[in-house]
Amino acid sequence: MPQAFPFSAIVGQHEMKLAIVISAIDPGIGGVLVFGDRGTGKSTAVRALAALLPKMRAVVGCPYGCDPGAPAGACDSCQVNATKRSAAKTPFKSHLVPVPVVDLPLGATEDRVVGSLDLERALSQGTKAFEPGLLARAHRGFLYIDEVNLLEDHLVDLLIDVAASGENVVEREGLSVRHPARFVLVGSGNPEEGELRPQLLDRFGLSVEVKTPSEIAARIEVVRRRDAYERDSAAFGAMWKKEEERLRRRIVAARARLSKVEVPDAALERAAQLCMRLGTDGLRGELTLMRAARALAAFEGDASVDDPHLRRIAAPALRHRLRRDPLDEAGSSARVERAVQELFGA
Ligand SMILES: [Zn+2]
């Protein structure tokens, strides 16, 4: 398998890159919805970031790739084993695995997504065994759905529920299985091909818009890098190694710092004012804005959330939560930008 395209070598698309990094720092933010033209490197960006993240330690033989260092969040079988092993003082056998990126194809059946009864074993051995699905494979990594707007509503609902709860529960055909499934959901959508229901939009943490670059210089650079990568991915990877290493260290440090970043009352007040001005429904907008600003502050190495963090992350956190305003012709990005300028100053 060729080396993944280096994340740092992606030209432009700053907002998309930042949103994916922020989601990787705090997976609890709720994933990213990427709107935009085809061929703008959405899937490349997710794969590139996953490849950049440090490999994860996983329990050997566990179908969910549980973390041996965190038995509390592990599957039932690993939890039982953890108790036995700690009594016998024998640690788990573990190995390092890459952060998974699982593609969810549009035609996938619910069985394939959530897992199903292993029919072969049921017939040959008469035992009811669980055949894990795509959600199991995505645990601790990314689940990528191209054209999420074309996915059946019940599957989108299910995915968002699992992404929010971090657990997949399967009850059917006499099977009752519950396993951890914590992943960052990344959906891509082309707004011209079917809309997402507003209640679903609202449940994605961040949303970004990507466009094919319109400046000649940027277009040339995209083509040049793509060509160099395709001719010799290893040599291209070596050229970007230092940049990638630097970004990896920043993300690892941000994850470690995240819980210590303070959110002062003044920042909460700003977030509330911004959401009120924009008329976003409910409190999910504020909560996401606060969490994303905190992850951004952690990424920047700052000790507390301040106006610049809120400003920078406001559009991705809020633009997909605005109600249509028939009297306002401006697009949602422009509306957020306008409200930010009114509140924070130009
Ligand atoms: Zn396990």
Side-chain angles (χ1 to χ4, degrees):
M1 218 171 92
Q3 199 169 339
F5 192 85
F7 189 79
S8 324
I10 296 170
V11 178
Q13 315 292 14
H14 299 291
E15 196 184 48
M16 171 176 71
K17 287 192 282 186
L18 182 65
I20 296 175
V21 166
I22 293 291
S23 300
I25 292 171
D26 182 0
I29 286 170
V32 187
L33 191 55
V34 188
F35 285 115
D37 310 332
R38 267 175 222 281
T40 36
K42 293 171 274 201
S43 135
T44 303
V46 176
R47 261 160 247 288
L49 187 77
L52 171 118
L53 295 173
K55 288 194 171 164
M56 328 179 293
R57 194 151 278 288
V59 172
V60 172
C62 170
Y64 313 110
C66 285
D67 180 354
C75 71
D76 291 348
S77 135
C78 285
Q79 286 197 20
V80 171
N81 279 335
T83 317
K84 283 191 202 151
R85 280 175 182 276
S86 91
K89 295 200 165 63
T90 47
F92 275 113
K93 279 202 184 98
S94 66
H95 56 164
L96 286 174
V97 293
V99 174
V101 179
V102 174
D103 272 299
L104 192 133
L106 277 183
T109 59
E110 190 169 324
D111 272 8
R112 180 147 174 237
V113 176
V114 302
S116 58
L117 183 68
D118 185 342
L119 273 181
E120 210 169 295
R121 264 173 75 183
L123 293 174
S124 67
Q125 302 167 17
T127 50
K128 277 184 181 161
F130 178 61
E131 169 83 32
L134 297 174
L135 294 179
R137 281 178 44 208
H139 181 46
R140 305 176 69 195
F142 294 84
L143 187 70
Y144 181 75
I145 315 165
D146 201 17
E147 306 195 73
V148 65
N149 43 336
L150 301 183
L151 198 68
E152 287 174 58
D153 284 349
H154 77 274
L155 272 183
V156 184
D157 278 333
L158 186 155
L159 288 169
I160 291 182
D161 283 340
V162 175
S165 69
E167 218 178 32
N168 179 33
V169 181
V170 189
E171 307 263 3
R172 68 167 71 149
E173 294 155 342
L175 265 182
S176 175
V177 178
R178 171 186 291 268
H179 70 77
R182 288 185 294 276
F183 49 83
V184 175
L185 191 61
V186 182
S188 91
N190 188 334
E192 284 147 31
E193 291 170 2
E195 296 215 334
L196 273 166
R197 287 178 284 135
Q199 7 356 349
L200 288 180
L201 277 177
D202 184 51
R203 297 182 63 184
F204 272 92
L206 305 173
S207 78
V208 295
E209 291 167 357
V210 291
K211 290 192 180 72
T212 311
S214 54
E215 294 108 51
I216 296 278
R219 294 178 83 111
I220 292 173
E221 199 51 33
V222 171
V223 172
R224 185 179 283 149
R225 290 185 192 175
R226 195 24 89 171
D227 180 53
Y229 168 74
E230 273 164 19
R231 279 196 297 185
D232 188 346
S233 66
F236 189 70
M239 262 171 58
W240 289 90
K241 199 164 170 241
K242 261 196 182 152
E243 281 295 307
E244 294 282 275
E245 189 52 47
R246 190 175 310 152
L247 181 58
R248 178 185 303 124
R249 278 201 300 266
R250 274 184 79 186
I251 294 174
V252 171
R255 282 175 166 175
R257 189 185 293 124
L258 184 64
S259 62
K260 295 176 205 97
V261 174
E262 277 185 61
V263 185
D265 287 351
L268 288 174
E269 204 177 310
R270 287 289 220 188
Q273 284 168 337
L274 187 59
C275 290
M276 276 170 70
R277 200 171 279 247
L278 285 163
T280 54
D281 284 326
L283 294 173
R284 205 186 289 275
E286 267 144 278
L287 192 60
T288 310
L289 179 58
M290 187 271 284
R291 283 188 87 144
R294 182 167 58 196
L296 176 60
F299 185 55
E300 299 291 355
D302 296 325
S304 69
V305 172
D306 209 341
D307 281 359
H309 308 118
L310 291 167
R311 270 190 100 121
R312 233 175 114 196
I313 211 70
L318 300 176
R319 67 154 71 83
H320 54 300
R321 304 174 202 279
L322 306 192
R323 266 172 290 178
R324 280 244 165 87
D325 182 350
L327 297 175
D328 197 337
E329 288 287 300
S332 43
S333 299
R335 279 167 66 193
V336 176
E337 185 49 37
R338 200 171 57 202
V340 163
Q341 293 210 2
E342 284 165 6
L343 190 64
F344 295 89

